Amino acid sequence: MMTRRLMNWAAAAAVALLGWTSTPSQAQEWRGWNIHPPDYPVSKGMDRFTELVAQRSNNRIRMKTFHSAQLGQQDEAIQQMRLGSIDFAEFNMSGLNNIVPSTQVLTLPFLFRSVAHQHTVVDGPIGDTVAEDLANAGIVPLAWYDAGARSMYTIRPVKVPADLRGMKIRVQTSDLWIDIIKALGANATPLPFGEVYTSLQSGVIDGAENNWPSYESTRHFEVAKYFATTEHSNVPEVLAVSSLRWRRLNQADKDMLRAAARESAQYQRQLWAERERVSREKVIAGGAQVTDITDRGPWQQLMEPVYKKYATDPRMADLVRRIRETP
């Protein structure tokens, strides 16, 4: 039985479809979803995308992005996009894992050697493979955005995996993340993100993991002063269009949208890199001590049980192999 919320979305989708019977030359109003606040790099990247589309379509395609999750949380937005009541959005991979299994590969730990390696992978044939799977599920990727590498921050210094042994590390509520922390010899402690500061302060946990901007903006550096650049997770995000909208576009508009999206991705990546740099400087100025991990080999070796559990499907195992072999 359909929930009331889903029925509302379906009704909105039906109304939206009525507007899609127009020819490609007629004006189109598009609704976009974004979970981040307006000043976030992702939000600014999306704003650049909508500006470029308006310019290049002579304002024939008019897009409005609803930032700060105004149209619901990510799981809700994904369903709305598949129904057609949201036209475009920027998603992280976690909410897509159960819908499109190949997206799980991009979330595996220590898979990307660097940010540059990640860009090469997602902007090339491997990214195209995952994009095709997403399109078959009703979500057509146009470009890949950055979300930053996640690293460990703790109440004691961490230089090698053994230093984590016995520590209680906050993780997201996810079997994969629990298994990653266990493989490192630490005790995984699922907690809501909003409870991390007080839990570090009270000793409920000994550390957490996240990217530089999150570590800085939440002021977690005040209660967990040791940051180790493990960069164990570097998961891309995707700027996408509803397949229901996409199928009604002519080829010229599709090409224009892809080009605009990819330009916006380059802009967003530059903004993200700058945001990371500023956040790192702020936490160091605030007393954080940073250990730069240069040899991730010992960390990666501990992840083999995780890969055996989450990348056993032959197709996913092949994607992992191709990513590792990408120069």
Side-chain angles (χ1 to χ4, degrees), residues 212 215-216 221 278-290:
W212 285 109
Y215 181 55
E216 173 258 317
F221 66 90
V278 170
S279 292
R280 176 171 176 146
E281 290 178 355
K282 284 183 178 179
V283 299
I284 291 174
Q289 298 185 35
V290 178

Side-chain angles (χ1 to χ4, degrees), residues 200-222:
L200 285 164
Q201 197 172 39
S202 64
V204 171
I205 56 175
D206 303 309
E209 53 81 44
N210 219 309
N211 55 45
W212 285 109
S214 294
Y215 181 55
E216 173 258 317
S217 63
T218 57
R219 305 197 70 79
H220 289 174
F221 66 90
E222 295 176 343

Side-chain angles (χ1 to χ4, degrees), residues 114-136:
S114 64
V115 172
H117 178 229
Q118 186 237 69
H119 290 170
T120 300
V121 168
V122 297
D123 291 342
I126 296 169
D128 291 343
T129 297
V130 177
E132 183 176 346
D133 293 344
L134 282 163
N136 289 335

